[in-house]
């Protein structure tokens, strides 16, 4: 099926099919290179995905493999044409690293995305303000606006994909508690938490509560991309500032098993995950309101003291000051007190 999966995935699909054809014809890379009077290195670059196949070279391979002019050959020519297309983010390419371009390309064409996020909200779920705050911190003198636009573009592409890929996200509760924006801009995080609630209607969100203790995800975030048409999955890991993509079967299998364990053994189910996000949104909003009230109360007290010094009757009921000085207790968390604990147990 030819669709809107983008040039990176179409390139991978084309290479996959060409390697199958070469092996099906009993040809080695050396034999193909000699037959076409190419260097061995040139064919290796094509099959390794480091160089996009020009139309003339693709046709030469299809002719050698006996499919030029057939329905199969025409389909591969169409895939090749799409692999040569410029991606939507091409105008912003200078703001992205090579690794980031590859990641965005995989994301654009994946059939399923599974991501573990132990520290920050995943990119596809971020609000513009949250993203801008992060980019301003990591790239204060760089292309903050351009990076945010790329992220918003990624989200737009995901929402208009046909079909929309399945998305499953596992977040540590610390992600909900970390107030990106700080005390100066608490509204950034409040809006982000509400956005997560909204997005939970179209993606699967699972939260690992702090009571779960240590788990595989604390070692570093990772993403698993799955594809249609027999393309092998790709693992993308982040650890100590290093970003690594791997197609090794043992790596992908190991992390896929770890992701399943996080969902089944550590994370809350969908309903309780949503309740926990809503709890933190209310808690932060209440805290923000209380701090704002404290600020107004302090200003009022200063005004009262000024008035009292001038011999005026302030007329401030003591109860009003007590009301703003006593923080409203947060609601109980919507999950058991610990693993295996039952509601209402001692």
């Amino acid at each position: 099926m030819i669709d809107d999966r983008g040039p990176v995935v179409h390139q991978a699909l084309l290479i996959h099919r060409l390697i199958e054809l070469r092996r099906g014809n009993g040809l080695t890379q050396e034999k193909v290179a000699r037959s076409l009077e190419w260097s061995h290195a040139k064919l290796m670059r094509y099959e390794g995905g480091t160089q996009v196949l020009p139309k003339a070279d693709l046709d030469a391979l299809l002719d050698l493999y006996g499919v030029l002019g057939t329905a199969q050959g025409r389909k591969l020519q169409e895939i090749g044409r799409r692999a040569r297309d410029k991606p939507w983010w091409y105008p912003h390419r200078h703001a992205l690293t090579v690794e980031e371009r590859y990641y965005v390309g995989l994301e654009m064409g994946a059939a399923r995305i599974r991501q573990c996020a132990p520290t920050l909200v995943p990119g596809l779920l971020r609000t513009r303000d949250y993203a801008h705050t992060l980019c301003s911190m990591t790239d204060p003198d760089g292309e903050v606006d351009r990076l945010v636009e790329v992220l918003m573009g990624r989200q737009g592409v995901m929402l208009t994909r046909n079909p929309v890929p399945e998305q499953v996200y596992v977040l540590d509760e610390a992600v909900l508690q970390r107030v990106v924006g700080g005390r100066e801009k608490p509204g950034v995080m409040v809006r982000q938490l509400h956005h997560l609630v909204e997005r939970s209607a179209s993606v699967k969100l699972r939260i690992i509560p702090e009571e779960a203790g240590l788990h595989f995800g604390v070692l570093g975030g990772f993403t698993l991309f799955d594809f249609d048409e027999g393309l092998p999955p790709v693992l993308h890991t982040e650890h100590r500032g290093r970003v690594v993509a791997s197609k090794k079967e043992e790596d992908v299998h190991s992390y896929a098993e770890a992701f399943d364990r996080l969902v089944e053994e550590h994370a809350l189910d969908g309903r309780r995950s949503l309740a926990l996000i809503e709890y933190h949104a209310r808690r932060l909003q209440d805290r923000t309101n209380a701090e704002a009230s404290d600020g107004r109360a302090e200003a009022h007290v200063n005004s009262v003291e000024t008035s009292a010094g001038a011999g005026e009757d302030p007329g401030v009921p003591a109860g009003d000051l007590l009301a703003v000085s006593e923080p409203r207790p947060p609601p109980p968390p919507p999950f058991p007190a610990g693993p295996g604990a039952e509601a209402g147990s001692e």
Side-chain angles (χ1 to χ4, degrees):
M1 179 180 65
I2 305 295
D3 56 23
D4 55 358
R5 289 173 290 180
V8 171
V9 171
H10 279 106
Q11 165 81 347
L13 181 59
L14 179 64
I15 292 168
H16 185 69
R17 294 284 183 263
L18 289 174
I19 291 175
E20 285 183 337
L21 282 172
R22 175 174 62 76
R23 291 172 176 169
N25 280 275
L27 296 172
T28 64
Q29 287 182 331
E30 293 81 357
K31 288 181 179 179
V32 171
R34 282 198 302 270
S35 297
L36 298 176
E37 297 183 349
W38 292 352
S39 68
H40 185 202
K42 177 178 178 178
L43 183 60
M44 288 180 66
R45 288 195 299 272
Y46 286 158
E47 291 196 353
T50 59
Q51 186 174 337
V52 178
L53 270 158
K55 183 180 184 303
D57 287 351
L58 173 58
D59 287 349
L61 287 172
L62 296 178
D63 188 28
L64 181 63
Y65 300 154
V67 296
L68 186 64
T70 68
Q72 182 182 12
R74 286 190 290 272
K75 180 176 180 180
L76 291 174
Q77 286 174 322
E78 175 63 14
I79 293 175
R81 185 187 68 77
R82 289 178 177 260
R84 293 189 295 271
D85 285 345
K86 295 290 190 293
W88 65 266
W89 45 262
Y90 187 77
H92 308 292
R93 63 192 182 282
H94 298 303
L96 302 173
T97 65
V98 173
E99 293 80 8
E100 287 169 337
R101 293 176 208 166
Y102 184 58
Y103 182 94
V104 173
L106 294 175
E107 179 183 83
M108 184 178 177
R112 180 172 64 161
I113 300 171
R114 291 173 288 172
Q115 185 171 0
C116 171
T119 56
L120 295 169
V121 173
L124 292 179
L125 302 180
R126 291 174 187 170
T127 63
R128 181 180 289 273
D129 287 345
Y130 186 100
H132 196 279
T133 302
L134 287 180
C135 291
S136 298
M137 180 184 70
T138 57
D139 195 15
D141 302 318
E143 312 224 14
V144 173
D145 291 338
R146 190 182 291 264
L147 289 171
V148 173
E149 287 308 315
V150 170
L151 179 60
M152 295 298 105
R154 286 167 54 193
Q155 295 182 6
V157 166
M158 240 355 85
L159 292 174
T160 57
R161 280 273 310 278
N162 182 26
V164 176
E166 178 187 357
Q167 299 170 62
V168 185
Y169 299 97
V170 174
L171 280 62
D172 192 284
E173 187 179 359
V175 174
L176 311 180
Q177 297 170 319
R178 181 169 291 104
V179 184
V180 171
R183 299 186 62 158
E184 296 80 11
K185 297 180 179 179
V188 171
M189 195 64 199
V190 172
R191 289 189 292 274
Q192 177 62 73
L193 292 172
H194 286 306
H195 184 66
L196 288 178
V197 172
E198 294 172 4
R199 294 290 284 118
S200 67
S202 55
V203 302
K204 294 179 181 178
L205 266 176
R206 299 291 183 268
I207 308 299
I208 300 178
E210 58 184 9
E211 286 81 1
L214 288 176
H215 54 83
F216 186 84
V218 301
L219 299 176
F222 63 92
T223 307
L224 289 156
F225 296 106
D226 296 297
F227 306 93
D228 292 327
E229 299 196 52
L231 276 180
V234 177
L235 166 69
H236 184 279
T237 59
E238 303 172 38
H239 183 57
R240 294 183 179 179
R242 294 185 66 239
V243 177
V244 179
S246 174
K247 299 178 184 177
K248 293 180 180 178
E249 187 175 349
E250 59 270 24
D251 291 343
V252 173
H253 182 71
S254 173
Y255 274 81
E257 284 192 334
F259 188 87
D260 289 342
R261 285 197 301 272
L262 289 175
V263 172
E264 296 166 6
E265 300 176 13
H266 297 279
L268 301 173
D269 61 25
R271 180 184 60 80
R272 292 199 295 165
S273 292
L274 180 59
L276 185 54
I277 297 171
E278 292 173 332
Y279 163 73
H280 280 291
R282 289 194 304 271
R283 185 182 181 189
L284 180 57
Q285 185 66 68
D286 289 346
R287 192 172 75 192
T288 301
N289 293 342
E291 289 177 354
S293 296
D294 288 345
R296 290 194 296 270
E298 183 178 355
H300 190 76
V301 169
N302 290 337
S303 175
V304 168
E305 291 175 347
T306 301
S307 299
E312 299 177 5
D313 180 9
V316 180
D320 287 353
L321 293 181
L322 288 175
V324 296
S325 64
E326 293 177 355
R328 193 179 86 174
F335 51 84
E342 296 294 334
S345 63
E346 293 296 330

